Amino acid sequence: MTTTRRDIFKFAGGSALGALLTPAPWRLITDTALWSENWPGIPRPARGEIRAKFTHCSLCPAGCAVRARCVGEQPVSLAGVRGGLCPFGVTGHQLPYHPARLRQGPVSEAMAAVADAIAKCGPGERVAVLDLRPGRTASWTARRAMAVLKNGWYIAPVQSPVAVDLTKARTVLSLSAPLLERWGTPANVFAVRDGFRLIQADPVESRTAALADLWLPIRPGSEEALALGLAGQLTSAETAAMTGLSEHQIESVGQTIGFGRLSLVIDRAMSPAVVALNVKLGGWGRTIVPRAEAPVPPEWKKAAPVTDLAAVPDRSIRVLLIDESAPGEYLPWDAIEKKLAAGNPLVVVFAWSANGYGRYAKYVLPTPVYPEATDDIPPAIDSPAPCFRIAAPLLAAPAGVVTPSEFIASLAGLPPADALRERARAIHQGGRGTLVTYADAKSVPVKEVKPDDFWKALNAGGCWVGQALPPANFRAPVGQALPPANPSQGLVVLATPPAPSPASPLFTKLYQESDLLLAPNCIALHPQDAARCGVSAGNRATLETPNGKWSVRILTDSSVRPGVVLAARPEMASASGKVVRV
């Protein structure tokens, strides 16, 4: 029998027609759909009782109150209480599943290595804790531990001694402070925004500048000069030369914020010059007040003092423990490295991922991440009264993570104790202030609440609010006059408000796809500056400043002021820098 080409086509056509008339292909499609729905790794919606839990967000110092919608024990959505919650807080329940998260670490090995290194410290060598967010109960535990060790130091970024009261201000002059971009508590700031006129003195047209009533495009790095000029420590001509504004503009602003007009002047850190200007304007005790924190047990007062990194002698730290578990102010690694002792110093980092200081550490120990961690949040910069609020966990932390305060306390031999509960007991015993509970929207004097009920309410998302310190009991810092500014050499590097870290992977669309926000590894500069540096959009380059070198990706934006580089990491900020193509 001879098979022809016609026979082959007839057989193929008949087979195809027969297959369509049988249930086989349709059954295969159905089975594939069912298999794909039950494939390993397919997320399944939680099932169970739907209820609301209350806590506080610990992703930034604002510490916003959070209402979590939970199915069973699983949070499925987060929303702010009494107003705002930033996008990073709204997606905070996704952080435990971040692909870059650390889940295991050599905790026992690190503990033994630290104990051995402390025992071998030579003359003049120290063991130190670097706390990126001071003021927490965990910070007090670290300070107490360092006081027990004979050569212990507690190092933390310098904190402003004052807080601001936006509710009393009628005019706010912001010296490059990102007031409307997570500088304070979002709900509080936007609740009172209509009550004051906002003047933004900023080298770039930031989001806050775009939303301000008046934008003053000052010269980069001249914020303190403007404050001193308005305080009368510099003449209008000197101030104009240093800031790039006209004398008329400076005099007009001075008249707007004149004495007794309930004006408030702010900058990113509330520097001494800015505080002195507010005092001169009559704002002391009104728009600015002494910054206070919640009471602590009397025995904690024997803790080690807070030391600024700049005051630490070079080559003096043999063992450095860095608490990176709570997002805070980052310090340049070059500034930290020169403080480490020569000859293989031991650096241990407590962090949720290895992308931060973990790149320079011998041990990186994984920590709980929000909303697993149990922590408290110090009062925000716009909180005139002391407060105590707990970031109560919504999920159980996985096995293998370590809490920095427990590690450091055991290292110093401190007795195991629930420090948060001890502090809550001290607050309750004081009998002052008010307990605010969000579930029932009530405010009750603390003296009317039983101790156990007070502790339960705090863990259910409540907040204790105390009374502001009397201004007469606090001495306001005094600003000093600046020397004449020298022209900056190279590009001026400015830091934009950084995103909280960690951030949900959902925000990679903002960073990697739309570039609406600067990613930590990106910088933006004017197209003319990019051409002058020999780079273009998308190029890889090295940003060099006195604070160090970073590999970055270039973005060009004509809205960026010529001569300025925008960076999303504060440690990149410097008076000057240069971009080198790689």
Side-chain angles (χ1 to χ4, degrees), residues 332 334 488-494 521-523 525 533 535 540-554 563-567 569-582:
D334 286 4
S488 179
Q489 300 297 320
L491 299 169
V492 178
V493 184
L494 300 178
N521 64 337
C522 291
I523 61 173
L525 63 164
C533 296
V535 296
R540 300 296 304 181
T542 298
L543 174 64
E544 298 181 4
T545 79
N547 292 336
K549 297 181 180 180
W550 294 271
S551 176
V552 294
R553 183 170 68 91
I554 301 296
V564 169
V565 176
L566 293 183
R569 290 170 56 179
E571 64 268 31
M572 291 184 185
S574 175
S576 63
K578 62 180 180 178
V579 177
V580 180
R581 182 169 182 173
V582 294

Side-chain angles (χ1 to χ4, degrees), residues 41 53 78 181 186 312 448 452 511 542:
K53 291 183 179 181
L78 305 180
E181 303 168 73
V312 177
E448 298 179 7
D452 288 344
Y511 290 131
T542 298

Side-chain angles (χ1 to χ4, degrees), residues 137 425 548:
T137 298
R425 187 180 300 115

